[in-house]
Amino acid sequence: MLQVSRLNVFYGKSQALRDVSLKVNEKEIVALVGVNGAGKTTLLNTISGLLRPASGSVEFLGKRIDRLAPHKIMNLGICQIPEGRKLFSDMTVGDNLEMGAYSSAAWKRRKETLERVYKVFPVLKERRNQSAKKLSGGERQMVAIGRGLMSNPGLCMFDEPSYGLAPKLFLEVLEVVKQLREQGITILLVEQNVRNTLQIADRAYVLENGHIVLEGKGKDLLQNERVKTAYLGM
Amino acid sequence: MNITRLFTTHRKLLLMGFLILLIAFVLTFPLYGGARTRVLITMLVYAILAMSWAMFSGTTGYMSLAPAAFFGTGIYTTYLLQNHLPLPIIIVAAGLISFVLAVLLGLVTLRLKGIYFTIFTFGLVVFIPNVVTYVEGEVTQHHGWYFNVLDRTIILYTMLGLAVVTVLAIYLIRRSRLGLAMQSIGGNEEAAEHMGIDTTRTKVLTFAISAIFMGAAGAVLAPSLSYSNPTIAYSAFYSFVPIVAAVFGGMGSLQGPIVGGLLFGFLEKTLKVEWNTYFMLGFGIIIVLVILFLPTGMVGLVPILRDKLGGAISKWRKGREGEQHANT
Amino acid sequence: MAEAERLLGLITIGILAGGVYGLLAVGLSLQIGVCRVLNITHGEFLMLGGILTFTFSQLGINPLLAPVIVGPILFGLGFLLQATLFRGVKARVPSPSAFEGNALLAAFGVMYVIQYLARIRFGTQSLPSQYLTQPVPYVGINLAVNLIVGFAIAAALGIAVYLFLTRSRVGKAIRATAEDPPTAELMGVNTNTILAVCFGLGGLLAAVAGTLVSMRTPVSTAMGFNNTVIALIVVTLGGLGSVPGSFIAGIIIGIVSMLVAGLWESVLIVPVYYAMLMVLLLVRPTGILGKK
């Protein structure tokens, strides 16, 4: 479904991604793990079109998207769920969710999509007229996810959903992720919380200093010595 | 003999020769200057305004639109004091009054975000002339200001002296601790604060120092005007031209605003009188083009040109060497 | 008693005139708050709106219908300015923090271009553009019909803009872009288009304000600058990005200007605005209804 090939990305003169290649198949949960500053968000922003790669390509459903503007990429069915703090804090919860359905195809169906999102996160229905800045960390994450779902995406890219969440809440988020996959949405999950993430991932990549250093099945990587020492503290 | 080498080896000699020529020109100017004295005075005025504006706004990134307010205040100071005090003291007084005015304005607005500062300095240019008009009408019943006219040559040399003082002062400030603090504010104000720099004090102080030269320039110019009034003296044009001149020359450097100020002063005095409307139209177009295509100013262009020129010269030289090899 | 009536009259005129200031300020507030351009040309758009209204009225078009033509023309001009000039300035600034300053300078350039092109075409004289000057008696004074109609149109447009920003799809995208452009892009918003729409909308509101002003006073090509100053003061007073704040501030400015002119001296109007602004910003650095 998504094919990233030999991607090189720079910030000014410093290189953030080096020859990164990865693949996400339909209805998979693929994880991309690594420490802060490894280049995970950079990769997502490049796929979304916020950053331009110096070389390499990104293909989605067989079409090159690495030269498209962000809003065009979004319209193809890719959504990025930025970490929970990136809500529009001057707007209500309901308006934030509606912004997710901004693309014209999704806008027409926003009422029914909204009901579906409220079914996943009932608490958001109660809070729909509240200002987004008054929410707790968990609620913010729910709004961020719900806002992403409002575009009826085929591929959903999560950026660090554990950010600012208690461990228990993060496990709930991962449950939601699994549910979404059952509904047919493909998932690319970017995380620092390696153990829990690898447990639910079909396949995973490990990113270090802008390089992919390991890839494999999620469960296999949990047993990998390098992963164990570097990320699981064993 | 090759020209680039002449420049590098005899640079000091050339500079000295250039300076001597310049001084000779300035000293002999009254002999053949005549009507051109006026042009030269205006050029110096804009150079001073542009330099002092760039000293504050160019380094800190806070856009001040106030030059006209301080410049006009300088003119007004001369008008008020001309029958009571000698000119040198009036010039100092004008500088001090502008300094105080800038401190007051800075204390109120420089704590705010940049955009509010800009709006306020802009308002000052409209505020002061209105107040002055009111005071003149109510209190003194005078309409318009008449000046005891001085010989233009004297004004030219005084203005030149002021310009030299301004250059020296700005040069010294840029190299001082204050200059360093200003630069770090321009880079990242929060970081500067964390480094222990009192940012508000630095901003207010440099803003006020830059106002001294603007006020003094107004005071020196006044006796060449014979007539003025609040609307003319505080014309917003005196804010815009120096800013554009500084940006055009390159506001990050010391020489950029001087070059820009001299150039725009010359253009204004030679073109504006006859071609007012079209001059202003062209002025607007030039601003837009400069911002679009030369956002770092003429000074920013120099390294680019030098690179290109240097590259071309060495290429040409290599080509010639190649030819010579082929010949032998 | 007569004194109290006179006061009431002045305040009423101030409120009615202030609605137009509010309308003008809403446009500028959008341009500063969303596009981050301190648009010094705003008053020139008002001037063009007024002059064009007068020109069309010479051709037999009713000034009340003029906004239908003038509005879209100046919307287009604003749209183009943002889509070409300010977008270009943003792409070329040496550092992102330099954008506001460079955009302001570019706006200066545009201000002179608009002003002097208008001078070449329309001259500098005052043009008798008044319309609907019939008096309506009111507590001892006469209010002109144009004053009442002007306020009604300004208020209606203000409410329309408010609803547009809070309810419509594009309006929400404008608010999202104002707050966080990259995240808005991730929602599928083409922020370049949104910024241009926003700037165009600002131009349209200034144009309509120009029509309304032209019904009350003669217009001239030199009227822009003062209106820019007024709009800046109203925006600062009302707080950036607040439609109701702009209108409240506009009405306050309207009342103050009538009182100062009626009871004191009209040359002091701007100094009084300025003093008010100084005091307000010392107490509340974000304006009456400003955020954060």
Side-chain angles (χ1 to χ4, degrees), chain B residues 95-119:
Chain B
L96 283 179
I97 292 171
S98 299
F99 180 85
V100 172
L101 203 62
V103 168
L104 290 179
L105 182 76
L107 282 177
V108 177
T109 56
L110 277 169
R111 289 166 200 279
L112 303 171
K113 274 213 240 150
I115 207 151
Y116 288 112
F117 173 73
T118 306
I119 294 175

Side-chain angles (χ1 to χ4, degrees), chain B residues 13 17 21 69 82 97 104 109 112 234 253 261 278 280:
Chain B
L13 207 69
L21 268 178
Q82 58 182 351
I97 292 171
L104 290 179
T109 56
L112 303 171
Y234 287 93
S253 68
Y278 293 97
M280 294 301 293

Side-chain angles (χ1 to χ4, degrees), chain B residues 120 134 240 243 280 287 292, chain C residues 92 105 108 112 264 274 281:
Chain B
F120 259 97
Y134 174 73
F240 300 156
I243 295 174
M280 294 301 293
I287 301 177
L292 264 183
Chain C
R92 289 185 175 91
L105 290 174
F108 274 144
Y112 283 122
W264 202 1
Y274 195 71
L281 282 190

Side-chain angles (χ1 to χ4, degrees), chain C:
Chain C
M1 202 55 217
E3 192 57 22
E5 267 186 3
R6 180 155 173 261
L7 216 57
L8 186 64
L10 287 175
I11 291 175
T12 310
I13 297 176
I15 291 173
L16 294 176
V20 179
Y21 294 152
L23 188 65
L24 183 66
V26 168
L28 184 59
S29 178
L30 280 172
Q31 292 166 338
I32 299 178
V34 186
C35 309
R36 311 273 157 206
V37 176
L38 187 50
N39 179 25
I40 223 91
T41 69
H42 201 58
E44 309 305 326
F45 275 75
L46 175 138
M47 175 272 285
L48 287 178
I51 297 260
L52 288 178
T53 302
F54 173 75
T55 313
F56 287 135
S57 77
Q58 299 297 91
L59 301 173
I61 296 171
N62 187 308
L64 286 174
L65 290 177
V68 182
I69 314 165
V70 176
I73 293 175
L74 291 183
F75 177 91
L77 184 60
F79 188 97
L80 281 180
L81 268 185
Q82 168 65 39
T84 56
L85 178 62
F86 294 115
R87 193 179 162 188
V89 170
K90 189 175 253 166
R92 289 185 175 91
V93 285
S95 73
S97 60
F99 173 71
E100 279 179 14
N102 281 15
L104 171 66
L105 290 174
F108 274 144
V110 178
M111 177 181 96
Y112 283 122
V113 172
I114 295 179
Q115 208 173 324
Y116 283 86
L117 280 180
R119 264 191 207 198
I120 291 169
R121 175 69 185 76
F122 300 103
T124 49
Q125 71 282 26
S126 278
L127 306 169
S129 57
Q130 293 95 319
Y131 182 66
L132 292 180
T133 47
Q134 305 85 325
V136 178
Y138 170 83
V139 291
I141 54 161
N142 285 320
L143 299 176
V145 174
N146 56 35
L147 204 57
I148 300 165
V149 171
F151 182 82
I153 293 178
L157 251 181
I159 292 169
V161 171
Y162 181 75
L163 291 177
F164 169 71
L165 287 177
T166 50
R167 301 283 164 83
S168 77
R169 174 168 169 252
V170 175
K172 283 174 189 176
I174 289 177
R175 280 157 60 215
T177 306
E179 194 179 333
D180 184 348
T183 306
E185 288 269 349
L186 287 182
M187 301 297 115
V189 177
N190 183 347
T191 49
N192 282 324
T193 311
I194 288 293
L195 292 185
V197 167
C198 225
F199 212 96
L201 187 59
L204 182 146
L205 296 177
V208 178
T211 299
L212 300 182
V213 168
S214 79
M215 298 196 314
R216 277 182 19 229
T217 56
V219 291
S220 86
T221 48
M223 73 194 285
F225 189 69
N226 272 339
N227 281 290
T228 301
V229 175
I230 291 177
L232 276 174
I233 288 173
V234 176
V235 167
T236 319
L237 203 61
L240 269 185
S242 163
V243 176
S246 286
F247 269 89
I248 294 173
I251 287 169
I252 292 175
I253 288 294
I255 296 173
V256 169
S257 75
M258 287 315 294
L259 289 181
V260 173
L263 307 177
W264 202 1
E265 180 75 56
S266 62
V267 75
L268 286 177
I269 292 177
V270 175
V272 170
Y273 292 162
Y274 195 71
M276 281 168 51
L277 205 56
M278 277 268 189
V279 174
L280 182 88
L281 282 190
L282 278 174
V283 188
R284 243 193 92 83
T286 52
I288 299 174
L289 290 183
K291 289 162 195 153
K292 269 171 272 174

Side-chain angles (χ1 to χ4, degrees), chain A residues 60-125:
Chain A
F60 182 66
L61 297 172
K63 193 180 167 217
R64 287 264 317 241
I65 60 168
D66 48 85
R67 292 276 176 258
L68 294 183
H71 62 272
K72 297 219 167 110
I73 293 175
M74 162 101 190
N75 286 342
L76 293 174
I78 298 182
C79 88
Q80 178 180 344
I81 296 174
E83 43 104 333
R85 285 209 290 201
K86 294 262 173 98
L87 299 182
F88 300 114
S89 58
D90 291 342
M91 296 192 194
T92 63
V93 170
D95 281 355
N96 264 283
L97 292 173
E98 278 201 346
M99 270 315 292
Y102 180 79
S103 70
S104 50
W107 188 259
K108 283 181 201 119
R109 295 164 54 192
R110 70 186 188 284
K111 294 254 159 65
E112 46 173 299
T113 325
L114 199 59
E115 284 312 313
R116 270 183 20 227
V117 169
Y118 285 150
K119 227 172 253 165
V120 183
F121 304 113
V123 68
L124 295 188
K125 190 165 190 178

